[in-house]
Amino acid sequence: MSARPVFAALIAVSLAARAQHAGHDMSQMGHAMQPPPAEATNAKAPPASATPAPSPDPHAAHTMQGMDHSMHDMPTMDMSQTKEQAAPYTPVPVPTDADRAAAFAPLTPHAMHDREVHLFTRVDRLEVDDGEGAATEITAWLGGDVNRAWLRAKGRTDAGRLEHASVELLYGRLVAPWWDVVAGVRHDTGGGPSRNWAAIGVQGVTPYKIELRATGYVGDSGRTAARVEAEYDTLLTNRWILQWRAEADAYGRDDPARGLGSGLSSFEAGARLRYEITREFAPYLGVEVEHAYGDTATFRRAHDEDAHDTRIVAGLRLVF
Amino acid sequence: MLFPSFDAGTSRATLLSRRRFVQGLAAGGAMLAFGSRASSGVVQAPRVPELRGADLDLVIGETPVNFTGRVRTAVTVNGSLPAPTLRLREGTTATLRVRNALPANSVHGHETSLHWHGIVLPANMDGVPGLSFDGIHRGEAYVYRFDVRQAGTYWYHSHSAFQEQAGLYGALIIDPVEPEPFSYQREHVVLLSDWTDLAPEALFARLKTMPGHDNVYRRTVGDFMRDASKDGLRATLGDRGMWGRMRMTPSDLSDVNANTYTYLMNGTTGPGNWTGLFAPGEKVRLRFINGSSMTYFDVRIPGLDMTVVAVDGQYVHPVTVDEFRMAAAETFDVIVEPRGQDAYTIFVQDSARTGFVSGTLAVREGLRAPVPALDPRPILTMADMAHGGHAMPGMDHSQHAGMAMPHDMAGMDHSQMAGMDRAMPGMTHAASSTAPVHPASEVGNPLVDMQAMAPTSRLDDPGNGLRDNGRRVLRYSMLRSLFDDPDGREPGRSVELHLTGHMERFAWSFDGTKFADAAPLQLKYGERVRVVLVNDTMMSHPIHLHGMWSDVEDDAGAFMVRKHTVDMPPGSRRSYRVRADALGRWAYHCHLLYHMESGMMRTVEVRE
C-alpha cells in the first residue's frame, strides 16, 4: 500500500468533512497559501478559561516596516491569494544555501522498531492429575503485529503412555482488531496411527474477553475434524485468577484405529485457580471434566476406559 | 571522589565489590556520583554536573549505576545520569562536540545521537539519525553547531533506539539576553525520569508480547461486588459489559508503571532525597523537566503555591496552582516562595498512581518534610475516552454510555448501538464536540482497536485522576503565552491526523499507518498550517514536532500557547498552528518512547 495517496485522500476527507472548509476548492490543496477560512466558520464555543486569551493584534504587522520586500522574495508565497491573509508579523526568513545544504542530505533511513519480529511462548498447562496422567499445552508465536507463525501443541499421557498429542503449525494473519485467521497443518500422534491434517480457522477474543479458537481440519482419505476451544479468566484478585477452559472435538467419520467416533467425540471443561507469583510464573490447582460421546464413548468402553472422567489437576502456567 | 570514572573494561570483581558497597545506598543514584560524604550517614544526593559556555565536549559512554540494589549499565554523558546540565546563552553560537565512546558489544547499540528537544536549529543539527544526519558511530564524533535563538528550559536526549530509557537525557538551559518577566533569587533544575533495570529492548519485547504486564489493577470480583452494592447490579453489569464488549480494561492507564520503573528526580530515587536549597524569603525558580520515557508525572509541593511562568521554555502569563501534570517531554518553570518551614517535599506521582519520587526543598541538607500518600488510583471512564462528560452538567453518562467505539464490526451488536443512541442526544448538545471523520486508512484496519466518537479539546480538563481533588490543578486552558501569536496568519490549510493504536498488539500509529509504512508529511516552506489531532486511543500521547513550534489554539481557534510537545489525552481533539519555517526532514512523534518505536511517528518534510 502506498501511503502517499492515502494521505492525500485523508486530507481531502478531513477537509471535506469539516464544515468550515466546505467552500474550499480541493484542487488548490497543494498551494502554500490559501484564503483563510472566514471568521464566522469557527462556530465553536468560546473558551471557558480562567484567563482571557490575548488575541493576535491585527495591527502588529503594520509596525514592521520593510517586511513586504522580504515576503516578495519568497517563491512559495502567492500574494494574489492572500488578500485576507496578513503577512506574518515576523517574516519567514529567506532560505540560504546553507539552509538548503543542511536540509536534505542523503542519509540511511531512520531505523525504528515498528517492523520488529518478536517471539512469545506460553506454557498454558503443565500439569499432573490425581491419577497417573500428565498433560501439557503450549502456545507460541513468532512474528510482527499482523503476520505471525503460530505453534499450538497439546498432549496427554496416562501412566507414562502417550494417550494423544496434537501439534499445529499455522500461519496467522490479523484480519480484524481481535481476530486472526489461521491456516496450516496439524499432526496427531499417540493412541493409534498418526494423522495429518490441513487446518484453517479463526482465533481471537470475543466481546466480554473470551479467548476463542475454532479450527476445521481436512485429513487424508477425506477425513474431517473440528475443534473449538474457549478460555475465560475470572479475577478473584489481580493475582488469584480462576481460569475457565472448554474444548470440544468433532470428527466427520469414525476412526476406530484412534478410538474416535464421528460427530462430537469429546468435550473437556476445566477450572483452574492460579496464583500469579509473576506474570511469567503461576502455579495452579484445578479440576477437569472430560466426556466422550457417541462412538468415541463406545470405543473407550470397549477398551475398558471410562467415557467420563473427572480429574483433579495441579500444574504450572509459564511464560518465556 | 571515591569512584573515578571507569570504563566497560572494569573487571567483574571490581564491579562486585562496588556493588556490595552501593547496595546499602541503592536509594541514591548513579554510582559515580557518590562522594565520600556517603559514609558520614547523610545520604547525599548526587549533584548533576553543569557545563557552561559556548563550546562544550560531551562523551557518550556506558556507566554502571545502581538504583534498585542491582548494578546495571546506563548510557551516560560524561559519566553522569542524568547527563550534565548544559547552560547556553541566547545570541551565541553553540558548539557541542559529541563523541561516541560506547564500548564494543554495547547492548545499547553502536550508534548514538543527541537531540536538542525544543530547540529551533538547522535540520542537520537536530540529531535524529536518518532524518537529520547519519548518527554518531562508535569511536566517531559529531560537532553540533547552531545559533541559539531562544531562551528557557529545555532538555536533550538520545534519538537512537532506546538509549533515552537507559539514561541518555539531560537538562538544557538557555539564559536569555533580555531580562526575564519575573524575578527569583535562586534556581534548581528538577529533571524527572523513569528507570528500569530491564534492558530497554527486553522491556519493548515484553510490551509487544504481554502489553498488560504492568496492569495489576484490573477490576476483580470483589470490585464488582462493591460496585454492585453501591451503584446497583444493573448499572454495574452495564459498565462491566461495556468494557467487556470493548475488550479493554479501565485500569489501563499507562503501559509501564512503577511495577517496572523506579522514578528518579535529578538521577536520584525517592529515598535518596534530592535536595534543593533555599533561604527563607527567597523566590526560587524550579525548572521541571519530564525526561521520562513512558511516564506522565503529577507534581506538587505541599504547602507551597507554584506560579507557572514558562511552559516548554516559553513564557506564559503567570498562573498559580497547587499541582500540574507533565506529559513526557514537557517542561514547566515555576516560581515558589518557601518560607515558614525549613523543608518542603517535592512530590511527584505517576498519573496512574502506582509510584512516586520525592525530593526536598530545604534550608540545609539532610532535612525532610512529610511525604504525602499516593492519591487514590483512578480508572478511565467512558468520558475519558471520548467526551469530557464531567464538565457538562447532566452529562454524566460516563458509566453507562458507550461513547467510544471498539473498532470491530463483529462486536457492534445492537445492544451496544442502543447504548450509544441513548448517549447521543446529550452529546449533540455539547457545543464543542465535533463528530470526527476518521481517515480511510483506519477503516477495516486491524491495528486500530477503537475510535473516538465525540472527541473534544478537553483543554479545561485537568485530566484523569486530577479532577475535583480539592487542589488547584493546572489545565491547558490556563496557559497563555506572554506574547501574541508571533506569526499572526490564519493557517492556509489543515492537516488532520488521528492517533491510533492496538492495545493488545502494542501497535501504535498515526491514522492507522505505522512509520515504516507511511510517506513523509509534506509542508511547503513558509506556509502556516493547522494541525488537528484526534486521539482515537485510550492512552495519552505527548506529540512532539521537531524544528518548529506548535502554537496551540483554544476552542475558538485563537492562539493560546506556544509549545514543543502537545499532550493529547484520550478522547481529545486539539489543534495547533505550525509555521513551516525550517527546511528539511523533521521527526514528528509521540514522545512515549515505546509508542514512537512501535510506529507512532512521521517524517515531516518542509520543502521550498
Side-chain angles (χ1 to χ4, degrees), chain B residues 141-162:
Chain B
Y142 188 82
V143 181
Y144 292 89
R145 186 176 286 122
F146 52 89
D147 294 335
V148 181
R149 293 176 287 168
Q150 63 200 93
T153 303
Y154 302 93
W155 65 300
Y156 65 106
H157 59 83
S158 169
H159 231 290
S160 297
F162 300 110

Side-chain angles (χ1 to χ4, degrees), chain B residues 489-512:
Chain B
R489 290 174 296 171
E490 266 295 314
R493 64 183 176 113
S494 289
V495 173
E496 184 166 321
L497 285 169
H498 288 222
L499 317 180
T500 47
H502 191 300
M503 306 287 289
E504 190 269 336
R505 302 264 159 157
F506 201 76
W508 302 98
S509 55
F510 286 110
D511 289 349

Side-chain angles (χ1 to χ4, degrees), chain B residues 116-131:
Chain B
W116 320 99
H117 188 112
I119 307 300
V120 171
L121 36 59
N124 58 347
M125 296 296 142
D126 195 46
V128 183
L131 300 186

